[in-house]
Amino acid sequence: MKNLITLLIFISCLITVAQNQLLIPTTIESTNINLTLQNGTHQFFAGENTATMGANGNVLGPTLILNNGDDLNINVTNNLGEPTTIHWHGLHISAENDGGPHTIIQPNTTWNPQFTVDNKAATYWYHPHLIDKTDEHVSNGLAGLIIIRDAEEAALDLPRTYGVDDIPLVIQTKDFDAGFQIVHPTNNDDTVMVNATVDPMVDVPAQVVRLRLLNGSSQRTFNFGFSGNLTFYQIATDGGLKESPVALTRLRLSNGERSEILVDLTGMQGQTLQLMSYASELQNGINGATFPGASTSMVLDNYNPNPLNGTDFNILQLNVIAQTANPVTTIPNSLVTITPYLESDSDFTRNFSLSSVIGGLDALNGDFTINNVSMDMNVINVTIPLGNTEIWSIQNGTPSAHPFHIHDIQFNILDVDGNPPAAYLEGWKDTILLRPGQVINVITKFDDFADETIPFMYHCHMLTHEDGGMMGQFVVVDEGAGVNDFDLENGFSLFPNPSNGVYMSAKLTDQNDRITAYAIINELGQIVNYHKIHENEMNNLYSFPVFELSTGSYMLRIFSENNIYTKRFIKK
Ligand code: C2O
Ligand code: CU
């Protein structure tokens, strides 16, 4: 008995760890936005300084509060002492403003994207996206939320007082070494934090409260729920409000995904509750479940031990305090009307297969690829005609789950393994988790932004996988732009020609033929570039980079399934 009492006291000491007041990121609510990326230190643990990266501060960045239609002028100044980029995750903007791997901000320089906010009210985020460095820069603390507002959202009776009844939550796990410094890459991410606060608690009023959830972790998936299995209501997915609130007790979010939820705390003043991850319920193969692979006999190097895997753990303590003036006290019955893309509108279906370069029981160690090819800055994997509505059929042929993210657009999920998506996946999405073996069809439209210089990305949002090459590039091309045939030979068109851009595009006249390889030949007859295209990426339309070519005249030789064509082009 005495032992039991000692044990109980010991356990209760363990669970009443010191709580820290949740940090609420500052906000910028302006069309002129200045972000300074800087190194700093932050005390995740009292008295222990950890080296960090932040925007306008030591860790994380300010929340940008934007309105649909705002004309933004942003200055991102890089004082990190090393190159990085800043990507606006989820925003529908041109490739040059997107902040992908091509748009490097060199140290001590300022990047000046300018664009009009053209997204629905929802929660988005920004983070670095430099090739091979995304995990490092995000793990070190660089990430911030973007809240977009619009007239539809404003017309609803929803909580929207930032930090009071509308709480931004950047949820992450990190790994610290014995000296309290951040470790990356890692599978030992055993420290949970919200807004860079470890063991956080926040006061929330006894009314309907809105939580904006971002899984900003490098790899871990969360299975959100509340203590006592309190029902909550999902009101927004990645890129917009739902048609009506979806009552849930669990909500799974993988890396990069967001959701807004309402929780009704009316009458609960004085109580505390926990936002948790019920990771014991995650299926094997999802990062954060008991086993990282679909089969328990698979091995992932350095995966164990990690006390968070497969267990239910607290994320944030909510202390319910008095109501505010004019509280929201009811969950709305309906939200907005969604006009989804229809399968019948699709112009084209593309296949993407996620695979591992290692087979067998070691497959979890990756590297992982998309269509068997690794990210290559010199290859445009996919070329899309401006205005195309497309189904992207994504198949996970690996034994672990991967969150697939597409830049530029928001998509609707048509089906998951042939079944309609669960209610929490309905609406606007830019990132979707595929479990081992799953096939998910999504539909979207590539509208508004064609670009001859910079591609968009699609990739796994597990940052270690992304850095490991699980990423591809797509360009959206305006086929009408600058077609100029130097040769009389028919068979394909080449545009823009001459080119002073980064890539050119070739389109076969025969709609049913596909380009399988191409070669660029200089005036001496030497092949300066040859690329064989992966089966899944073969298409009637293909773009190839010309940015490394010196100015002059070249021949492009196109190998198609049925023919070989050659045409002259000029690089200016
Ligand atoms: Cu959140 Cu391509 O990234
Ligand atoms: Cu992945």
Side-chain angles (χ1 to χ4, degrees), residues 39-279:
N39 297 300
T41 60
H42 179 69
Q43 294 197 351
F44 294 96
F45 303 94
E48 304 293 346
N49 286 324
T50 302
T52 52
M53 290 177 169
N56 300 3
N58 286 319
V59 70
L60 298 177
T63 299
L64 311 181
I65 300 183
L66 312 175
N67 300 292
N68 179 280
D70 279 354
D71 290 316
L72 300 185
N73 181 33
I74 308 179
N75 287 298
V76 184
T77 300
N78 179 4
N79 289 345
L80 294 174
E82 57 180 292
T84 194
T85 85
I86 289 292
H87 165 58
W88 320 102
H89 179 126
L91 297 203
H92 178 51
I93 44 182
S94 68
E96 63 173 341
N97 287 312
D98 187 53
H102 294 263
T103 310
I104 297 172
I105 316 172
Q106 295 295 345
N108 305 314
T109 66
T110 297
W111 177 48
N112 178 220
Q114 297 173 322
F115 58 87
T116 302
V117 178
D118 187 17
N119 281 76
K120 297 176 193 299
T123 306
Y124 305 83
W125 66 305
Y126 58 93
H127 62 78
H129 214 303
L130 189 65
I131 270 295
D132 294 338
K133 288 284 187 179
T134 299
D135 183 42
E136 177 177 332
H137 291 171
V138 175
S139 291
N140 284 345
L142 261 179
L145 286 175
I146 302 171
I147 294 174
I148 295 183
R149 297 187 164 153
D150 65 13
E152 271 187 317
E153 191 265 354
L156 295 166
D157 188 23
L158 291 173
R160 59 173 70 81
T161 308
Y162 183 82
V164 176
D165 63 3
D166 181 352
I167 318 281
L169 302 175
V170 180
I171 300 149
Q172 297 174 308
T173 52
K174 293 190 198 295
D175 180 15
F176 292 87
D177 66 16
F180 298 94
Q181 301 309 304
I182 293 164
V183 179
H184 51 75
T186 184
N187 282 310
N188 294 320
D189 55 327
D190 54 3
T191 301
V192 185
M193 62 185 67
V194 184
N195 301 347
T197 313
V198 175
D199 293 319
M201 62 174 185
V202 64
D203 290 344
V204 282
Q207 62 203 50
V208 173
V209 169
R210 180 185 200 164
L211 303 179
R212 296 176 186 263
L213 307 172
L214 161 67
N215 182 348
S217 292
S218 294
Q219 303 197 79
R220 180 171 299 275
T221 288
F222 298 109
N223 190 29
F224 292 108
F226 289 94
S227 50
N229 291 321
L230 186 76
T231 297
F232 57 94
Y233 301 86
Q234 186 202 36
I235 58 165
T237 49
D238 298 333
L241 290 165
K242 316 262 314 177
E243 296 221 289
S244 55
V246 177
L248 298 170
T249 56
R250 296 289 185 271
L251 173 60
R252 192 189 70 194
L253 289 186
S254 62
N255 319 94
E257 288 185 296
R258 291 88 62 210
S259 265
E260 296 175 20
I261 61 171
L262 298 180
V263 50
D264 188 356
L265 305 174
T266 308
M268 291 175 65
Q269 186 175 345
Q271 297 184 29
T272 64
L273 64 157
Q274 298 285 345
L275 174 67
M276 301 176 60
S277 180
Y278 286 91

Side-chain angles (χ1 to χ4, degrees), residues 401-403 460 462 465 470:
H402 304 273
C460 174
M462 286 171 76
H465 293 183
M470 198 176 189

Side-chain angles (χ1 to χ4, degrees), residues 307-320:
L308 297 180
N309 294 340
T311 57
D312 302 338
F313 55 87
N314 293 345
I315 291 176
L316 172 66
Q317 180 174 316
L318 305 169
N319 302 323
V320 186

